[in-house]
Amino acid sequence: MPSISVISFSPYERYHLLLCELDDTMFIVDCGWPINSNNETLQPDENGKTRTEASNKFDPRDVLSTINWARVDFILISNYEQMTLLPYITEYTEFSGPVYATEPAKAYGRCLLEAGLVFASRSSIDLVENGNQYDNSLAAEPQASTSRNSLLWQSQFDERRVCSQTALYSQQDIIATMEKVTDVRHNEIVNPVPFVQACTRSSGYCIGGANWTVEYKGHRTAFVSTSSFAACLHPQEWDGRVLSDAQVIVFCDASDPSSSEHGGDVGDSNIPQNIQVSQRINQLCSTAMATLKQRGRVLLVGEPYGVTLDVLQLVAESIISHNLPMPQFIIVSPVGERTLQYGNIMGEWLCESKQALLYLPEYPFADKDLRQKGHLHFARSLSDLATMKIPQGTWFVIVSPQDVSAVDHFIRQWKQDATRSSNADIATSSGAARYSVLMHGDEVAWAQSLVRHISVGSELTYVPVSCRLTFRNIEQSLLSATSAQQVLVPSHIYARLSQVGTADGSAIRSGGGGFEFKLFEYSYLQATTVDLDTDRHLPLSIQKEMTNQMKLSGKQHAVVSGTLSLSAGKIRFGYADTEKDNEKASLDDKPKIVPEVGTKSAEVAGATLLTAGERGSGPSKQSLAWWTPERLASELNEIGVNATAVSGMPNGAVRIVMPSGSATIRMDGGWLVDCTSTNTQWTVIDSLRQVLKLA
C-alpha cells in the first residue's frame, strides 16, 4: 500500500516549503521564505527615529542543506509569494528536475525577487545620498535614513554590485531560474515523472494562484496553498474541485484573525469572507476619499500588486463618481510599472467580471486610462522621483512596505508641510495641511513593527485585509471533500479543528456532512506519514458499470449481489440475472443489477469466486489444486497478512484476520472467499493477487 510523507522545512506559518515523498518519488511543494525575516524588526525610539531589535533568526541555507536535492524529482510552485528560495535551489544545490508554475506566478515571482534584491542592495550611504538628492532636509537626520530595509539578505553592499557577498543569489541567478520554470495553465495535467500526474486548480488568492493535485497510482493528494474564498477581488475565483476527488488533503497555511489587533473581533469570524474583505477595502477607500476631498495627500503602504490593485481601482472609480479632480497617482517601486501591466495583459487569469471587460473592449484596471491622461507616474526610487516633474498638491502615493526609506521620506516631508501651513490654509483645506497613511498588509509581525514605526507622530489607518482561508473556512471547504480519507493541517490549525472532532482528535465529522476522515498535524522539521488507502472505493471500471446499470434501472441506490474474480491481473465483477438466481454468474455474461428500493448505499454481498485465469486462456481452476491451506497461509504471512490454516473443511481453508474484519478462503474446487466487510474483501483480493503473482 503506497504512502505519502510530508515534512515542513519552513518555520513560518504563511510561507511553505514541503518535502513530500510518494514511495520512490520525492518532490517539493513551494519554496517560500519571508523576504523580511532573519533580521531586525523596526522599532521607533523616543525621538521617533528608527532603531532595530534582533528577531529570531533562521538561515535558509542551513535548512536547505539538510535536504538531499539529488533525490528531489520536481518542484511545484503555488503562487509568486512562494518562490523566494527557488533561485538558490536551482542554481546552488544538486536539484536538476523540472519546476512547474503558472505564467502569472512566474512573472510576478520574478518581480518580487528582483525588487528584493534592489531593496537589499541599497546601502546606508546610498539611502542618504538618494534622500539628499530629493530633499536636503534629510541630511539633518542621517540616522533615521540609515536604519532601513530589514531584509533576508541585508548586509553591507557595494553600490556597483547587484547583491552582496552574503546574498543568496544574484540577478543572473534569477534570470537562469526563470528559464527553468515550465508554464502551466489551470486544469492542465503534467507528468513530471512516470506514474505521477499533477494538475492545477485556481486558489482564488492572487493572479495565477494555484492549488496542486498530485495523482500517483490512482491516489490523489491535494495541496491547498494560500487560498481565498473572497470573490470581490480581481484574481480568478476559488476552484473547489481540488478537494472533491482527493483522498488526502494537505492544507499549507491559514490565517488566524485573532492574531491581528484589528481582526480579532468575535463577530468577524461569523462574517462571510467575501463581505469581510469587501468591507475592509471600502474602509481604506473611504479614508483615502476623505483626505482627497480636502485636497490632501495619501500614502498607501503596499506592494504594487494584489489588494493594492483593488484599492487603486476603487479609489479611481470613486473620484470619477464624485466628480472630484483626479489626483496624481505615483508608484515608487523598481517593478511597479511591470506589475500593473501584467494585470492588464493577463486578462484570462482574472475573475469573470474582469474578463468580461476584455470583450468590450476595455482594460480590466484603471491604470491604462490614468496613464494616458497623465495622472499615473512610476518611479523606481526616490532619486528617480526627484528628476520627474509632477504637479504638487493632491497626490496618491503607493510605496512598498520594504522600502522603509521612501515611507519615512514622504511622512517626514508631508509632516513638515503641515507644520509650515498657516491656520488659514488649514481652515480652507488648501491641500498642504492634511495627509493620511494607509496600510493593508496582513503579515502581522512585520506589519505591526512597521505600524509602530510609522505611528510615531503620524496618523495611520491600518486595516489588514486578510484574504487567506481561516480555520473556519477550512472546515467549510471540507464539506465538499467527499472522497477525503486523511487531512493534514499545520499544528496551529490542528489545535482548532480537532476541537470539533472526536475526543482524541483522530477523526472529524464536519457540519453534519455524514463523512469521516482522519485528521493529522504536521510541524516544522517533523515527518508526517499517512497511507493512501482506497479500500472503501470500487475499481473505476466496476464503479462506472454499476452506475450505468443503476441509471438504466431508474434507481439511485441498489444492493448488488454477485461474484468478484481475479483474472489476468484485474478484478472483475459479475452478478446474476434475476431469472437465474440459483446459477453462478458467468464472467462472460453481461452484468445485471438487482435493485432494492429504499436502500441508502451500494453494497457487495455474497461470496467471491476467485479463478487464476480467464476461460480458455492461462491456468485453469484445476491449477489451484496443488495449493494447500498451509502453503497459502505461509505465503500470505510472508507478505504481512495474518493468516492461519483451518482444518475440518473439504480440502481445507485459510482464516484471515485484519483490523477491518475477517475472511475465510475455502479451497474446494475454486477458491471461495467469505468476508465480513467490503474493505476486507478488497484487501484479501489484493493479497491473493500478489501471492499468485509471486508464485
Side-chain angles (χ1 to χ4, degrees):
M1 179 183 300
S3 62
I4 183 171
S5 174
V6 177
I7 305 176
S8 174
F9 281 85
S10 175
Y12 306 95
E13 293 182 359
R14 178 167 183 166
Y15 298 90
H16 333 124
L17 200 162
L18 302 181
L19 176 64
C20 307
E21 188 170 2
L22 278 168
D23 287 352
D24 295 331
T25 302
M26 186 177 293
F27 61 96
I28 295 286
V29 177
D30 290 334
C31 305
W33 199 274
I35 203 170
N36 50 17
S37 67
N38 191 27
N39 43 99
E40 300 83 9
T41 58
L42 297 170
Q43 297 290 346
D45 59 16
E46 63 276 4
N47 298 321
K49 299 179 181 180
T50 307
R51 60 183 174 87
T52 58
E53 291 184 357
S55 59
N56 294 329
K57 295 187 176 182
F58 295 93
D59 190 341
R61 286 167 289 199
D62 294 339
V63 176
L64 298 179
S65 65
T66 62
I67 301 176
N68 184 2
W69 291 101
R71 284 198 56 204
V72 177
D73 296 300
F74 58 93
I75 295 177
L76 304 176
I77 300 296
S78 300
N79 57 69
Y80 56 82
E81 292 182 344
Q82 308 300 333
M83 297 180 67
T84 316
L85 298 180
L86 186 60
Y88 181 83
I89 293 173
T90 59
E91 304 305 312
Y92 297 100
T93 69
E94 296 180 347
F95 173 75
S96 59
V99 181
Y100 297 95
T102 63
E103 180 186 3
K106 179 179 177 181
Y108 280 100
R110 178 169 180 171
C111 290
L112 183 144
L113 294 172
E114 292 179 351
L117 281 182
V118 170
F119 291 134
S121 65
R122 294 176 182 171
S123 65
S124 299
I125 297 177
D126 292 333
L127 289 173
V128 174
E129 291 178 351
N130 291 341
N132 287 335
Q133 291 177 7
Y134 190 82
D135 186 3
N136 292 331
S137 64
L138 293 180
E141 299 178 21
Q143 294 181 356
S145 61
T146 56
S147 51
R148 320 288 197 195
N149 298 8
S150 55
L151 296 169
L152 173 63
W153 309 287
Q154 179 160 358
S155 62
Q156 295 299 323
F157 290 88
D158 187 285
E159 60 182 345
R160 293 167 297 181
R161 300 182 57 190
V162 176
C163 60
S164 71
Q165 295 178 353
T166 59
L168 287 179
Y169 42 79
S170 65
Q171 176 69 24
Q172 290 72 25
D173 295 331
I174 296 177
I175 296 174
T177 297
M178 293 302 124
E179 294 177 352
K180 299 176 182 178
V181 177
T182 301
D183 295 346
V184 295
R185 306 186 64 84
H186 284 326
N187 309 321
E188 179 181 351
I189 297 176
V190 295
N191 296 90
V193 295
F195 307 111
V196 174
Q197 291 183 339
C199 179
T200 65
R201 305 288 188 187
S202 174
S203 68
Y205 173 69
C206 60
I207 299 180
N211 292 321
W212 286 91
T213 298
V214 178
E215 183 172 349
Y216 173 71
K217 295 183 177 180
H219 306 273
R220 293 185 180 92
T221 301
F223 293 90
V224 182
S225 185
T226 309
S227 301
S228 176
F229 286 165
C232 58
L233 302 176
H234 62 276
Q236 197 171 126
E237 293 84 355
W238 157 270
D239 190 343
R241 290 178 294 176
V242 68
L243 302 179
S244 58
D245 297 328
Q247 288 84 41
V248 178
I249 303 173
V250 181
F251 286 93
C252 298
D253 78 301
S255 65
D256 184 3
S258 63
S259 63
S260 171
E261 56 186 84
H262 292 271
D265 298 337
V266 177
D268 283 359
S269 61
N270 299 322
I271 301 176
Q273 189 182 36
N274 191 61
I275 298 177
Q276 183 177 349
V277 171
S278 180
Q279 288 176 346
R280 297 193 172 189
I281 292 179
N282 288 333
Q283 182 178 347
L284 288 170
C285 180
S286 299
T287 305
M289 289 299 299
T291 302
L292 295 174
K293 285 179 180 179
Q294 300 183 35
R295 299 184 62 187
R297 290 171 286 190
V298 178
L299 176 64
L300 176 61
V301 182
E303 300 292 353
Y305 39 78
V307 176
T308 300
L309 292 181
D310 297 291
V311 176
L312 176 63
Q313 180 80 14
L314 190 58
V315 169
E317 292 175 352
S318 299
I319 291 173
I320 295 175
S321 64
H322 288 83
N323 197 24
L324 296 175
M326 188 67 68
Q328 301 297 322
F329 291 91
I330 304 170
I331 299 179
V332 182
S333 169
V335 296
E337 187 170 9
R338 272 192 293 162
T339 55
L340 262 70
Q341 288 177 344
Y342 289 148
N344 281 322
I345 65 178
M346 294 184 175
E348 69 273 19
W349 299 93
L350 302 176
C351 61
E352 292 184 1
S353 60
K354 296 290 186 184
Q355 289 186 33
L357 297 177
L358 300 175
Y359 300 100
L360 294 181
E362 290 186 10
Y363 287 89
F365 298 101
D367 58 277
K368 183 175 179 63
D369 184 60
L370 292 174
R371 185 185 305 190
Q372 290 177 343
K373 295 180 179 180
H375 292 287
L376 181 60
H377 313 272
F378 299 95
R380 294 182 56 85
S381 63
L382 288 177
S383 59
D384 188 17
L385 183 61
T387 62
M388 301 172 62
K389 295 182 179 180
I390 302 176
Q392 294 294 325
T394 306
W395 279 17
F396 190 104
V397 182
I398 298 175
V399 178
S400 169
Q402 298 180 50
D403 196 353
V404 186
S405 62
V407 175
D408 283 345
H409 165 72
F410 286 109
I411 292 178
R412 188 187 298 92
Q413 184 188 29
W414 293 353
K415 190 183 301 182
Q416 291 174 356
D417 291 344
T419 303
R420 289 194 296 264
S421 298
S422 64
N423 293 333
D425 291 333
I426 297 176
T428 58
S429 299
S430 60
R434 179 177 174 81
Y435 72 95
S436 61
V437 182
L438 310 179
M439 186 172 177
H440 60 74
D442 69 337
E443 293 186 62
V444 177
W446 171 251
Q448 288 180 347
S449 65
L450 187 58
V451 166
R452 289 191 294 269
H453 166 59
I454 298 175
S455 297
V456 177
S458 304
E459 293 184 3
L460 170 68
T461 301
Y462 176 42
V463 183
V465 183
S466 181
C467 305
R468 295 182 292 152
L469 300 181
T470 65
F471 78 97
R472 294 189 182 276
N473 296 138
I474 291 178
E475 184 181 356
Q476 176 187 354
S477 67
L478 290 174
L479 295 175
S480 61
T482 54
S483 301
Q485 299 176 21
Q486 293 98 1
V487 175
L488 284 74
V489 296
S491 299
H492 67 284
I493 301 299
Y494 178 85
R496 291 174 174 266
L497 285 179
S498 60
Q499 296 176 2
V500 295
T502 58
D504 59 356
S506 60
I508 181 172
R509 184 182 297 273
S510 297
F515 63 88
E516 293 183 351
F517 51 82
K518 294 181 180 179
L519 184 66
F520 298 89
E521 65 175 322
Y522 65 88
S523 55
Y524 180 53
L525 297 182
Q526 299 294 323
T528 301
T529 304
V530 298
D531 293 329
L532 302 179
D533 184 11
T534 56
D535 286 347
R536 68 177 68 181
H537 301 286
L538 293 171
L540 186 60
S541 58
I542 300 176
Q543 211 170 30
K544 289 182 177 179
E545 202 170 46
M546 296 168 61
T547 301
N548 293 334
Q549 289 295 327
M550 284 189 284
K551 287 182 178 179
L552 293 176
S553 303
K555 306 296 181 182
Q556 293 183 346
H557 307 285
V559 173
V560 183
S561 300
T563 58
L564 286 171
S565 63
L566 176 65
S567 178
K570 295 183 179 180
I571 300 176
R572 308 179 73 185
F573 182 69
Y575 31 99
D577 193 341
T578 53
E579 298 178 357
K580 303 178 181 179
D581 290 336
N582 297 325
E583 298 179 10
K584 291 185 178 180
S586 171
L587 296 179
D588 296 330
D589 292 340
K590 182 179 181 180
K592 295 181 177 59
I593 287 183
V594 184
E596 180 177 317
V597 179
T599 57
K600 296 183 178 181
S601 62
E603 301 176 355
V604 180
T608 301
L609 178 64
L610 178 71
T611 64
E614 292 185 306
R615 183 172 302 179
S617 64
S620 63
K621 291 183 181 179
Q622 286 74 17
S623 64
L624 300 177
W626 68 282
W627 284 84
T628 63
E630 290 76 13
R631 174 180 173 82
L632 180 59
S634 176
E635 295 288 344
L636 289 172
N637 282 311
E638 287 186 4
I639 65 172
V641 178
N642 183 14
T644 55
V646 179
S647 58
M649 294 185 181
N651 297 325
V654 174
R655 177 74 170 174
I656 297 177
V657 179
M658 55 187 61
S660 59
S662 60
T664 301
I665 305 175
R666 291 183 289 177
M667 304 177 64
D668 45 349
W671 291 357
L672 205 61
V673 184
D674 293 323
C675 302
T676 59
S677 68
T678 305
N679 289 349
T680 305
Q681 200 167 42
W682 292 113
T683 304
V684 172
I685 289 291
D686 289 340
S687 301
L688 291 176
R689 179 171 58 180
Q690 185 176 353
V691 167
L692 293 176
K693 182 178 179 180
L694 294 175

